[in-house]
Amino acid sequence: MHLNQVLNYLAVNFNMPAEFLSVHPQNPESRKIDRVVEVLQNGGIIIYPTDTIYGIGCDLMNRRSVERLCKIQDIKPQKLNLSFICSDLAHISEYVKRIDTPVFKILKKTLPGAFTFIFESSSRVPKILGVNKNTVGIRIPNHPIPLAIVKSMGNPLITSSIKDDDTIKEYSTDPEEIYEDFKHQVDLVIDGGAGGNVPSTIVDFTSDEPKVIRQGLGDFKEFY
């Protein structure tokens, strides 16, 4: 067994502290991205930067990892409202039931960007997750690190935001503090520099007219 596979196995099964990996935020080193993908493909949970706040996620195609992620976030799989990090618009079409031409034009203007878009899910989504989900959140963040991870892995990350217990500071921004909080729950924390504290704007496209259901960093009025 390869050394990294041994380390992955020990981390997952014996609660070893997570790996802390510094990655260049503008030019992610390919060998480090390869390491992140290896952890994900071996069932690992990672924490990583985006163009908004730090996220926690796993390989969408690994059901056991998705179950672990739900436990960490204290979410029942049936209540799963996590988002998919995709690499491009073509990637999105595999998981969304339908994207009309006017909506596609909006996506081209806004992505990559600080938005999460809610669509009706394709038939592929419940088969992957093992739960019946009628909708799916889609993100293409404007950040080189998660885009490089997803492109290298070949399928999306299923993701959620990292929240802070502090009543004033809702979202953690310091990767070292995040590591201290989660080092016994996840397998790898990426240090991509300080994160933001404003989440993505969520826009629901499941009705005739798009509806902003959470105002975050992205300004949807600029594009619609």
Side-chain angles (χ1 to χ4, degrees):
M1 185 181 287
H2 193 277
L3 175 60
N4 283 334
Q5 291 177 312
V6 173
L7 293 175
N8 288 338
Y9 176 83
L10 292 173
V12 170
N13 292 279
F14 296 97
N15 201 29
M16 289 179 62
E19 184 175 346
F20 189 74
L21 185 66
S22 295
V23 179
H24 196 286
Q26 276 78 47
N27 298 291
E29 302 89 336
S30 58
R31 62 182 178 81
K32 293 184 177 180
I33 295 299
D34 288 345
R35 173 60 187 149
V36 175
V37 171
E38 182 179 34
V39 169
L40 288 165
Q41 291 178 336
N42 280 287
I45 307 289
I46 69 166
I47 291 174
Y48 59 94
T50 73
D51 52 349
T52 56
I53 58 181
Y54 267 78
I56 181 171
C58 65
D59 182 356
L60 172 63
M61 300 301 175
N62 191 315
R63 192 176 294 182
R64 288 183 64 187
S65 298
V66 175
E67 291 171 356
R68 277 187 65 205
L69 183 61
C70 288
K71 288 181 181 179
I72 292 171
Q73 297 293 79
D74 195 23
I75 302 169
K76 293 182 179 180
Q78 293 79 11
K79 302 289 185 181
L80 193 67
N81 284 319
L82 307 180
S83 299
F84 297 178
I85 298 281
C86 294
S87 58
D88 52 40
L89 292 176
H91 212 186
I92 286 177
S93 64
E94 297 181 41
Y95 307 98
V96 170
K97 188 174 182 179
R98 183 184 70 257
I99 301 179
D100 296 328
T101 300
V103 174
F104 186 79
K105 289 179 179 179
I106 292 173
L107 298 188
K108 287 187 70 175
K109 292 177 183 177
T110 55
L111 298 175
F115 296 93
T116 299
F117 293 121
I118 308 296
F119 291 99
E120 291 184 40
S121 59
S122 71
S123 59
R124 191 177 184 199
V125 172
K127 292 177 182 176
I128 294 169
L129 298 178
V131 292
N132 188 24
K133 294 300 296 180
N134 296 324
T135 61
V136 60
I138 296 293
R139 277 218 71 195
I140 302 179
N142 189 20
H143 195 295
I145 290 175
L147 293 181
I149 293 169
V150 172
K151 287 177 182 176
S152 178
M153 189 164 60
N155 44 267
L157 283 171
I158 189 163
T159 187
S160 182
S161 57
I162 294 290
K163 285 205 172 188
D164 201 289
D165 291 333
D166 194 308
T167 56
I168 298 174
K169 182 185 67 176
E170 186 176 6
Y171 295 99
S172 298
T173 60
D174 185 335
E176 293 187 1
E177 288 183 6
I178 293 171
Y179 177 78
E180 289 302 317
D181 289 340
F182 287 90
K183 64 183 179 182
H184 292 296
Q185 298 182 65
V186 305
D187 305 287
L188 185 145
V189 175
I190 296 174
D191 177 4
N197 60 4
V198 181
S200 64
T201 293
I202 300 178
V203 183
D204 189 338
F205 276 112
T206 60
S207 301
D208 292 336
E209 291 291 321
K211 181 181 179 181
V212 175
I213 59 176
R214 181 182 74 188
Q215 182 59 56
L217 189 62
D219 187 358
F220 189 64
K221 289 182 287 187
E222 287 185 12
F223 305 99
Y224 185 77

